[in-house]
C-alpha cells in the first residue's frame, strides 16, 4: 500500500511541494497541509492519486473546469491563504535583496469575475468551434464557464463561437485577444486564412449587433477589419484611444490598488522638480501622476506612445519614445527628478537600473509583476544605499501564481526637500 506524504509548501509556479526522504517532489493540484498519495512520480514531479487528509486551506474549486482548463492553477486553495502566500513570495524576494527592515506589507485582492483582459485560442473541431484556454501542455479547452472573466466578456463567448464558425477566413483556428474598454469589447484576432470583403462584412455586422466598436487583425501593425463606433477608454478623467491589443491591467480594482499605492508613495514636498515615469504605456499611471507634478513619460512601444501623446494635450504629461533597454534614460536626467516611477515588463528593468543607481534620485516607486525580477532589480539599489519605505501586494491574477507589488524606496540624505 502506498504511503501518504505531506505537502509542505507551494512552489513559485503554484504546484505543491512534498518533502520525501529522496528529496522534494512537485505535485500539481495540492495545497500546503495536504496528506496525499501519489499515482506516480519521476523523482522530481509527481501525479496526485488522491488526498488522504486535506490541508486546512483546501477548498472545493469554484469552477468545474479546474484541473482541465489552463487558466487557473490554484483554485483549490482559499483565497485568503492564496493572498498570504503571494505576499510571502514578495517578502521573501525583498529579504533576499538584503534590506535591513521590511515594512509590513499592505495586501489587496480583487474579486472574482473582474477580469477585463483575456487571450483565448480557438479551434475547429468537427462542426464546432472550441474557444477557451489551453490545458497545461495540451489542446484548447472550451470555456463554458469561468470564475475569472467579467460577465460582459463571458457573455460574448457564445456568439463569438458562432461568428468564428461562420468566417470563411478561419480554417483550423487561431487566437483572439479581448480588452474590455469603456467603449465596449475590443477584439484582436489571429486567423489562419486571409479575410476578404465577405469576412469584413460578417465582422461589421457582428460588431454592431454586440456593441463591439472595433475588430482588428493581428499584424505589424494590426489592421482594422471592422470599425462600427468610437473606441475609447479613460485613465482618470482623460479619454484615450488604445491601440488594438493594448496593455491594460487585468482588473479595474487591481489597477486602482496599484495607482493608490503609487500616489501614496510620492513625496509630499519638492515635486516641482517633476516625475520621470518609465514604461508609461498608454497612460495607466501618467495622468494620475500629472495631478501632482509634471511627468516626463517614457515608453518604447510606438502604438502605446502615440495613444499617450494624443491624449496628453492640456495635461502635465510630456510623452517621449524610448527603448529603455537599448537607450535608457541617463543618470544625469534621473538625478534631477523628485521621483522615478517605473512599471517594467515581466523581465524587469534591465539596463535602466544601472542608470537609476548612478543617478541616485531621492525616491523610486517600483511597480512589479515578477518577484524574481524585483529581487534582481532592487539588489543594486539596496547596495547603493536605498531603504525600503513601503510595500504593497496586489493579487489581481486570482487563482494563479502571478503577483503584483509596489515598492517605495528612498535614499537617506538625498535632496531632503523631497523627503516626506
Amino acid at each position: 500500500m502506498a504511503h501518504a506524504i505531506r505537502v509542505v509548501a507551494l512552489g513559485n509556479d503554484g504546484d505543491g511541494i512534498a518533502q520525501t526522504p529522496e528529496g522534494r517532489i512537485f505535485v500539481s493540484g495540492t495545497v500546503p497541509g495536504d496528506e496525499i498519495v501519489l499515482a506516480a512520480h519521476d523523482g522530481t514531479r509527481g501525479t496526485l492519486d488522491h488526498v488522504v487528509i486535506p490541508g486546512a486551506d483546501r477548498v472545493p474549486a469554484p469552477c468545474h473546469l479546474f484541473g482541465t482548463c489552463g487558466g487557473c492553477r490554484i483554485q483549490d486553495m482559499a483565497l485568503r491563504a492564496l493572498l498570504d502566500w503571494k505576499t510571502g513570495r514578495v517578502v521573501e524576494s525583498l529579504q533576499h535583496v538584503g534590506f535591513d527592515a521590511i515594512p509590513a506589507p499592505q495586501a489587496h485582492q480583487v474579486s472574482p469575475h473582474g477580469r477585463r483582459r483575456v487571450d483565448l485560442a480557438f479551434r475547429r473541431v468537427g462542426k464546432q468551434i472550441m474557444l477557451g484556454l489551453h490545458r497545461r501542455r495540451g489542446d484548447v479547452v472550451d470555456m463554458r464557464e469561468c470564475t475569472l472573466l467579467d460577465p460582459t466578456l463571458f457573455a460574448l463567448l457564445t456568439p463569438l463561437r458562432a461568428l468564428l464558425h461562420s468566417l470563411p477566413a478561419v480554417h483550423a483556428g487561431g487566437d483572439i485577444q479581448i480588452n474590455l474598454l469603456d467603449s465596449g469589447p475590443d477584439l484582436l484576432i489571429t486567423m489562419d486564412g486571409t479575410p476578404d470583403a465577405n469576412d469584413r462584412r460578417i465582422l461589421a455586422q457582428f460588431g454592431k449587433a454586440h456593441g463591439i466598436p472595433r475588430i482588428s487583425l493581428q499584424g505589424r501593425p494590426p489592421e482594422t477589419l471592422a470599425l462600427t463606433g468610437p473606441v475609447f477608454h479613460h485613465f482618470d478623467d482623460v479619454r484615450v484611444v488604445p491601440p488594438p491589443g493594448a496593455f491594460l491591467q487585468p482588473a479595474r480594482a487591481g489597477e486602482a490598488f496599484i495607482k493608490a499605492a503609487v500616489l501614496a508613495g510620492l513625496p509630499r514636498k519638492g515635486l516641482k522638480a517633476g516625475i520621470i515615469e518609465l514604461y508609461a504605456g498608454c497612460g495607466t499611471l501618467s495622468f494620475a501622476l500629472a495631478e501632482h507634478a509634471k511627468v516626463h513619460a517614457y515608453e518604447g512601444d510606438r502604438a502605446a506612445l502615440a495613444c499617450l501623446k494624443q491624449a496628453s494635450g492640456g495635461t502635465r504629461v510630456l510623452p517621449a519614445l524610448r527603448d529603455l533597454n537599448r537607450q535608457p534614460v541617463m543618470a544625469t536626467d534621473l538625478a534631477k527628478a523628485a521621483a522615478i516611477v517605473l512599471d517594467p515588463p515581466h523581465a524587469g528593468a534591465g539596463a535602466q537600473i544601472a542608470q537609476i543607481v548612478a543617478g541616485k534620485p531621492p525616491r523610486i516607486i517600483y511597480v512589479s509583476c515578477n518577484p524574481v525580477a524585483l529581487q534582481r532589480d532592487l539588489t543594486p539599489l539596496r547596495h547603493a544605499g536605498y531603504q525600503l519605505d513601503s510595500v504593497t501586494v496586489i493579487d489581481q491574477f486570482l487563482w494563479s501564481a502571478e503577483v503584483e507589488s509596489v515598492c517605495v524606496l528612498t535614499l537617506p540624505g538625498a535632496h531632503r526637500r523631497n523627503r516626506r
Side-chain angles (χ1 to χ4, degrees), residues 15 76 89 93 110 129 181 184 205 210 217 220 233 242 269 278 299 310 324 348 384 391 393 397 410:
D15 288 340
D76 43 10
R89 284 194 66 201
S93 292
V110 304
I129 289 286
L181 305 179
Q205 290 175 343
H210 296 280
L217 179 68
R220 295 188 178 181
H233 194 67
K269 297 180 180 180
L278 309 173
E299 171 55 42
Q310 184 180 37
L324 294 172
V391 182
V393 176
F397 291 92
T410 55

Side-chain angles (χ1 to χ4, degrees), residues 11-66:
N12 286 344
D13 63 356
D15 288 340
I17 302 174
Q19 191 68 44
T20 73
E22 293 78 26
R24 299 191 307 173
I25 295 177
F26 292 87
V27 188
S28 63
T30 62
V31 303
D34 282 350
E35 299 281 347
I36 63 171
V37 171
L38 298 178
H41 71 89
D42 62 7
T44 57
R45 301 203 67 87
T47 303
L48 178 67
D49 184 277
H50 64 280
V51 177
V52 180
I53 302 174
D57 295 321
R58 174 173 280 278
V59 297
C63 179
H64 291 96
L65 293 178
F66 176 66

Side-chain angles (χ1 to χ4, degrees), residues 7 56 87 102 132 167 197 352 402 413:
V7 178
T87 302
I102 298 175
L167 286 176
Q352 185 62 71
E402 303 297 326

Side-chain angles (χ1 to χ4, degrees), residues 3-206:
H3 293 288
I5 57 176
R6 182 177 177 85
V7 178
V8 297
L10 287 184
N12 286 344
D13 63 356
D15 288 340
I17 302 174
Q19 191 68 44
T20 73
E22 293 78 26
R24 299 191 307 173
I25 295 177
F26 292 87
V27 188
S28 63
T30 62
V31 303
D34 282 350
E35 299 281 347
I36 63 171
V37 171
L38 298 178
H41 71 89
D42 62 7
T44 57
R45 301 203 67 87
T47 303
L48 178 67
D49 184 277
H50 64 280
V51 177
V52 180
I53 302 174
D57 295 321
R58 174 173 280 278
V59 297
C63 179
H64 291 96
L65 293 178
F66 176 66
T68 303
C69 170
C72 295
R73 299 288 295 273
I74 324 173
Q75 271 207 345
D76 43 10
M77 186 173 178
L79 283 176
R80 181 68 234 182
L82 186 57
L83 179 59
D84 289 343
W85 173 68
K86 292 187 179 187
T87 302
R89 284 194 66 201
V90 173
V91 170
E92 183 179 11
S93 292
L94 296 173
Q95 288 171 338
H96 285 309
V97 172
F99 288 111
D100 292 333
I102 298 175
Q106 295 289 320
H108 306 282
Q109 190 171 55
V110 304
S111 300
H113 303 291
R115 186 74 179 262
R116 61 176 177 177
R117 173 169 63 87
V118 65
D119 296 321
L120 301 173
F122 58 92
R123 298 290 180 269
R124 285 196 188 274
V125 180
K127 295 183 178 181
Q128 293 184 325
I129 289 286
M130 310 291 282
L131 174 65
L133 299 168
H134 287 278
R135 68 181 79 236
R136 292 178 71 177
R137 297 178 291 275
D139 297 329
V140 178
V141 176
D142 204 30
M143 188 181 284
R144 296 290 175 172
E145 65 176 295
C146 185
T147 52
L148 286 175
L149 285 185
D150 183 289
T152 299
L153 292 188
F154 184 73
L156 191 59
L157 300 189
T158 295
L160 265 176
R161 292 183 182 92
L163 167 73
L164 296 168
H165 186 269
S166 71
L167 286 176
V170 172
H171 304 313
D175 301 285
I176 182 165
Q177 179 178 325
I178 312 173
N179 274 337
L180 185 56
L181 305 179
D182 290 342
S183 55
D186 190 43
L187 275 57
L188 179 62
I189 304 178
T190 302
M191 305 181 196
D192 54 356
T194 302
D196 59 15
N198 188 39
D199 292 285
R200 294 170 187 266
R201 177 186 58 80
I202 294 170
L203 289 167
Q205 290 175 343
F206 181 81

Side-chain angles (χ1 to χ4, degrees), residues 367-378:
V367 182
S368 168
C369 62
N370 180 0
V372 175
L374 178 71
Q375 177 182 332
R376 183 174 59 247
D377 285 350
L378 263 54

